[in-house]
Amino acid sequence: MKHIIILGDGMADDPIVALDGQTPLQYAVTPGFDFLAKHGVNGTLCTVPGGFSPGSEIANLGVLGYDVNKVYEGRGSLEAASMGVDIADDEVAMRCNLICVENGKIKNHSAGHISTEEASELIEALQKELGSDTVSFHCGVSYRHLLKIRGGRKDVQCTPPHDVPGVDIDGALPKALSENAQPTCDLLVDLIRRSYDILMTHPVNRRRMEIGKDPANMIWPWSLGYRPSMLPLSDLYGIKKGAVISAVDLIKGIGRYAGLDVIEVEGATGLYDTNYEGKAEAAIEALRGDYDLVFLHVEASDEAGHEGDVDLKIRTIEYLDKRIVQPIINAVKDMEEPVAIALLPDHPTPCHLKTHTSNPVPFVIWHAGIEPDSVVFFDEQSACHGAYGYRTVLEFMPLLLNS
Ligand SMILES: [Zn+2]
């Protein structure tokens, strides 16, 4: 049996008054999802273990069968894998945002969603001025970059910049959580302060300010960690050859550490205009070939949730159904080796909150010949009546592989 996990990021939601108390999953027309629910086995899954905030990286690590208590080392180190940057055993890596500061306060965490082209010039300047044998900056995408410190410690408390818009810089600076971490903390504070002078006078920012855009005038390091020690899925679950298909660096990075091949799909944007057909075709081709596990991640519904756009969220769900799930169901019916399909979100991103929550999500597992339960629709409430019942995230992979 081969396996495919189709994950609609942030697809789960809360009941919405404008939809007569239905959730987007209940309201959307999704014959493919409902085929899986009706002919498969359903349940609900707690994807965010206690003590963790409901980040996509936490939930997706769990869905792939990793215990975040043991392997989670922050966003930076996961994104590093996707950027092709190695983290040595004596290095600490972290997300390094380019942010916009105004009057000593954080104006925004994204420097007005600066373009990657502009950001790469700024990161290059930072590396030239602040880089050393100890400190290195690596360019990622838009405002999301990477900072590594050789000999650094991870027990430094750093504030995620998106949590503190409008807050004074001085009150939000890194704090050492141990005496040993003080040198790392002092270095980070020094880098933050010196970055302002370098960035503020850089031609890229001069140009941005001239046309009324936010300057990317400070770095903001956060989410520190060492190289994750993740066993590949081949060792953990006997997966012979697996692949990840996603537009998101964080997910591709997790895939790399998990020993999966990253299949790039042209036009996969991470937004609602993503290349759904291309992703479906890539997944089908992988399953027809020698891959025995495919992890297909679609970001669009999460973005719609963050925008609080109910209509858009419904559309992204219907696109996932019609343009990915239905073609995959049809394709696997003709495949020589049977394929089990799992469908789930990683966490809810309720439109009224515009952010993630830790509530349980619905999940379904289907393959030809599986004994179905009584559930007929794929949504948050129907899944509560599924035969799998309520599960914790580490039970998901074994359920799928032994279904
Ligand atoms: Zn997510």
Side-chain angles (χ1 to χ4, degrees):
M1 178 97 66
K2 295 187 171 195
H3 301 86
I4 177 165
I5 302 167
I6 304 171
L7 191 138
D9 204 297
M11 218 168 28
D13 211 300
D14 291 334
I16 294 171
V17 176
L19 304 180
D20 286 334
Q22 291 187 301
T23 66
L25 268 178
Q26 288 175 312
Y27 187 87
V29 178
T30 53
F33 290 12
D34 298 335
F35 171 90
L36 297 176
K38 187 173 177 195
H39 299 281
V41 183
N42 300 263
T44 58
L45 198 64
C46 167
T47 54
V48 184
F52 285 90
S53 55
S56 290
E57 71 280 27
I58 299 299
N60 281 275
L61 276 167
V63 166
L64 281 175
Y66 290 96
D67 182 349
V68 287
N69 285 295
K70 293 185 184 147
V71 304
Y72 184 57
E73 288 287 344
R75 280 177 181 234
S77 61
L78 293 172
E79 288 168 342
S82 174
M83 292 159 64
V85 177
D86 276 331
I87 302 166
D89 288 339
D90 64 343
E91 287 180 321
V92 65
M94 66 208 78
R95 165 67 81 76
C96 183
N97 280 40
L98 284 172
I99 68 168
C100 177
V101 170
E102 204 173 69
N103 303 323
K105 296 184 191 331
I106 295 178
K107 186 176 181 198
N108 59 58
H109 70 283
S110 62
H113 288 270
I114 187 167
S115 71
T116 303
E117 290 72 30
E118 292 173 301
S120 69
E121 282 191 53
L122 298 176
I123 294 295
E124 203 176 302
L126 290 167
Q127 175 62 22
K128 195 161 159 249
E129 301 287 332
L130 302 176
S132 65
D133 290 346
T134 319
V135 173
S136 63
F137 292 89
H138 304 266
C139 188
V141 175
S142 179
Y143 61 91
R144 303 182 295 269
H145 308 284
L146 181 76
L147 169 60
K148 290 198 300 176
I149 296 178
R150 193 171 294 277
R153 301 261 315 192
K154 72 168 181 179
D155 42 347
V156 177
Q157 186 189 311
C158 293
T159 315
H162 51 262
D163 284 352
V164 285
V167 163
D168 272 337
I169 300 294
D170 291 337
L173 288 171
K175 290 182 188 70
L177 295 171
S178 76
E179 218 171 285
N180 290 337
Q182 196 60 53
T184 306
C185 180
D186 293 344
L187 176 58
L188 290 179
V189 172
D190 183 55
L191 290 171
I192 289 172
R193 294 203 187 284
R194 287 166 64 196
S195 72
Y196 183 83
D197 298 329
I198 296 163
L199 293 172
M200 202 55 186
T201 54
H202 194 282
V204 163
N205 277 327
R206 289 223 180 109
R207 275 201 302 273
R208 285 181 67 81
M209 286 186 283
E210 266 168 31
I211 54 171
K213 286 185 175 174
D214 287 335
N217 54 10
M218 190 174 272
I219 59 162
W220 199 264
W222 60 286
S223 201
L224 284 68
Y226 306 124
R227 183 178 210 291
S229 58
M230 282 167 61
L231 286 173
L233 287 178
S234 51
D235 290 12
L236 266 185
Y237 296 108
I239 305 296
K240 287 198 286 291
K241 193 172 178 196
V244 59
I245 300 171
S246 172
V248 178
D249 272 349
L250 205 56
I251 304 299
K252 290 194 264 192
I254 290 171
R256 277 197 196 198
Y257 284 123
L260 305 179
D261 292 342
V262 177
I263 298 180
E264 301 285 358
V265 174
E266 215 172 295
T269 57
L271 296 171
Y272 37 86
D273 62 352
T274 193
N275 182 0
Y276 295 89
E277 286 79 10
K279 284 184 156 184
E281 275 164 32
I284 291 165
E285 201 179 310
L287 290 169
R288 282 214 180 101
D290 52 0
Y291 287 95
D292 58 348
L293 175 81
V294 174
F295 182 56
L296 198 173
H297 169 270
V298 177
E299 177 76 357
S301 38
D302 183 58
E303 289 295 329
H306 282 297
E307 289 174 23
D309 190 331
V310 176
D311 290 340
L312 183 62
K313 188 157 185 187
I314 292 166
R315 213 172 341 137
T316 62
I317 290 170
E318 291 180 344
Y319 283 163
L320 178 62
D321 180 88
K322 187 164 192 259
R323 299 163 69 182
I324 290 189
V325 171
Q326 290 186 40
I328 289 175
I329 292 171
N330 288 332
V332 306
K333 282 177 180 166
D334 298 331
M335 284 187 198
E336 227 168 273
E337 191 173 340
V339 177
I341 301 176
L343 171 70
L344 77 170
D346 49 352
H347 51 72
T349 307
C351 288
H352 68 105
L353 298 173
K354 298 186 181 178
T355 190
H356 306 173
T357 67
S358 302
N359 289 338
V361 298
F363 76 100
V364 60
I365 295 170
W366 169 86
H367 58 74
I370 197 169
E371 185 73 31
D373 58 19
S374 62
V375 175
V376 292
F377 295 114
F378 183 78
D379 61 61
E380 299 84 347
Q381 284 166 25
S382 303
C384 296
H385 307 290
Y388 284 136
Y390 173 73
R391 301 286 185 146
T392 59
V393 73
L394 287 180
E395 293 179 88
F396 172 74
M397 271 297 258
L399 279 179
L400 173 61
L401 297 175
N402 300 319
S403 63

